Amino acid sequence: MSNDESSSGDPATSVITKVKQKVKRPDLYRVLILNDDYTPMEFVVHVLEKFFQKDVEAATKIMLHVHHHGIGECGVFTYEIAETKVTQVMDFARKHQHPLQCVMEKK
């Protein structure tokens, strides 16, 4: 054995370590509907069914929460999806001449 070889027996052996990168989860945003005195309750239920895939019972529960507390959560989404949902709801409400407000906030 020469002085250049290591005692492991195979001088060409090396260890490769793979560093696992941590992927940061995207920030989440709450989509909220605000109460007003003019938008019919049935319209709010329809919006929750159409844009948030809520069944009639869940949509009614959220609508009543909005009615009694002034604000209600429709869902939690990534930024792009939350922004799209807010825009869809606002456009739909304006098209039907209702002052319904929909906003998003960071969770």
Side-chain angles (χ1 to χ4, degrees), residues 45 48-49 54-65:
V45 170
L48 291 165
E49 292 173 326
K54 303 293 183 187
D55 59 31
V56 176
E57 187 177 326
T60 302
K61 186 175 179 181
I62 294 168
M63 176 274 298
L64 288 172
H65 187 273

Side-chain angles (χ1 to χ4, degrees), residues 30-93:
R30 299 170 64 206
V31 176
L32 307 166
I33 286 186
L34 307 178
N35 190 39
D36 65 70
D37 293 333
Y38 303 101
T39 304
M41 293 179 177
E42 296 79 15
F43 184 79
V44 176
V45 170
H46 179 66
V47 165
L48 291 165
E49 292 173 326
K50 181 176 178 71
F51 297 106
F52 299 96
Q53 290 69 51
K54 303 293 183 187
D55 59 31
V56 176
E57 187 177 326
T60 302
K61 186 175 179 181
I62 294 168
M63 176 274 298
L64 288 172
H65 187 273
V66 171
H67 181 69
H68 292 293
H69 297 95
I71 192 167
E73 182 178 283
C74 305
V76 179
F77 308 95
T78 59
Y79 180 84
E80 291 80 9
I81 294 172
E83 185 178 46
T84 300
K85 298 257 184 210
V86 168
T87 301
Q88 289 174 330
V89 170
M90 295 295 289
D91 289 348
F92 189 70

